[in-house]
Amino acid sequence: GIQVEQSPPDLILQEGANSTLRCNFSDSVNNLQWFHQNPWGQLINLFYIPSGTKQNGRLSATTVATERYSLLYISSSQTTDSGVYFCAVDPQGGSEKLVFGKGTKLTVNP
Amino acid sequence: SAVISQKPSRDICQRGTSLTIQCQVDSQVTMMFWYRQQPGQSLTLIATANQGSEATYESGFVIDKFPISRPNLTFSTLTVSNMSPEDSSIYLCSVEGFGASGAYEQYFGPGTRLTVT
């Protein structure tokens, strides 16, 4: 099956710093989503981005489908950005089932 | 988008017992998905539940351990049977909903945090 690898596994930042999270996937996908899991366990949709670039406030994402990777950019980080960021893909030929990477645990210190 | 609620939000159970988790969606959906997230780990799909048919289980998950019901297009239950401490996890329900992206995205419920002692 498809492999989804995220890096780095852990990231510690000072408030105000910028960061880039990466997601590599091993096969073509219909769908790619980025989620933020807050400390209470809730998964929050950040981006639906099978290709191209999107921006939402301090967050932006880029997916290069031909090269099978996606990047999530966080600018001017805040303590509320802490949590785990997951990349999840729906492989082509699949049935809307998402395959998750192992996540990047982000800690933003004040 | 889709608004999903789950009950209970958390529970502590004795080994050997069973717990049924409920998932309610605010709109009719064809497929509902159940995921498990073990402590410190990523999410793993347990099964896909379609209304009117038996759930489809992923490799490593069996109906006897995780029976699922899907009585209508807005509701599903997952039962964790004969629990052991290894079943301690967050269990999440998800559905597809039309998002702000202009495409169908998956949305997740708040999860049920289960601890088995």
Side-chain angles (χ1 to χ4, degrees):
Chain A
I2 195 168
Q3 304 298 311
V4 182
E5 296 182 355
Q6 291 187 243
S7 59
D10 294 277
L11 186 58
I12 300 175
L13 301 174
Q14 286 299 121
E15 204 167 22
N18 303 328
S19 61
T20 301
L21 284 58
R22 187 177 180 101
C23 172
N24 293 334
F25 44 98
S26 62
D27 209 343
S28 301
V29 299
N30 290 323
N31 172 15
L32 187 148
Q33 290 184 241
W34 283 97
F35 296 92
H36 175 215
Q37 188 169 41
N38 65 24
W40 296 271
Q42 175 75 59
L43 273 169
I44 299 165
N45 289 41
L46 295 178
F47 292 103
Y48 168 90
I49 187 162
S51 63
T53 298
K54 293 185 178 179
Q55 180 155 8
N56 185 2
R58 296 181 296 103
L59 273 60
S60 64
T62 295
T63 298
V64 183
T66 54
E67 297 186 21
R68 298 180 182 166
Y69 73 89
S70 183
L71 302 173
L72 177 69
Y73 305 96
I74 304 174
S75 65
S76 304
S77 57
Q78 302 176 356
T79 56
T80 52
D81 294 331
S82 296
V84 182
Y85 289 80
F86 287 105
C87 167
V89 302
D90 171 17
Q92 279 191 0
S95 55
E96 295 82 42
K97 296 185 289 189
L98 289 181
V99 176
F100 279 76
K102 293 186 176 182
T104 292
K105 183 178 180 181
L106 175 64
T107 302
V108 182
N109 293 319
Chain B
S1 66
V3 178
I4 306 169
S5 60
Q6 286 186 235
K7 290 181 181 179
S9 58
R10 58 176 63 232
D11 208 340
I12 301 172
C13 300
Q14 300 274 349
R15 69 174 67 206
T17 63
S18 298
L19 176 72
T20 295
I21 301 167
Q22 299 179 6
C23 177
Q24 180 77 51
V25 190
D26 68 340
S27 58
Q28 294 184 339
V29 293
T30 303
M31 288 190 288
M32 297 178 78
F33 304 92
W34 286 98
Y35 288 81
R36 180 177 75 180
Q37 185 178 26
Q38 295 178 300
Q41 303 297 313
S42 185
L43 282 76
T44 301
L45 181 65
I46 298 172
T48 304
N50 291 330
Q51 194 265 338
S53 63
E54 286 213 359
T56 302
Y57 289 83
E58 298 299 304
S59 176
F61 297 96
V62 295
I63 188 171
D64 290 346
K65 176 67 175 178
F66 297 101
I68 288 171
S69 78
R70 183 78 200 274
N72 58 52
L73 291 174
T74 63
F75 186 79
S76 177
T77 67
L78 169 76
T79 298
V80 186
S81 304
N82 189 25
M83 288 184 284
S84 67
E86 292 70 36
D87 294 319
S88 297
S89 298
I90 300 174
Y91 292 86
L92 299 107
C93 167
S94 79
V95 303
E96 274 201 333
F98 197 72
S101 62
Y104 282 91
E105 309 174 18
Q106 279 210 16
Y107 292 88
F108 284 80
T112 295
R113 192 179 295 268
L114 171 62
T115 302
V116 183
T117 60

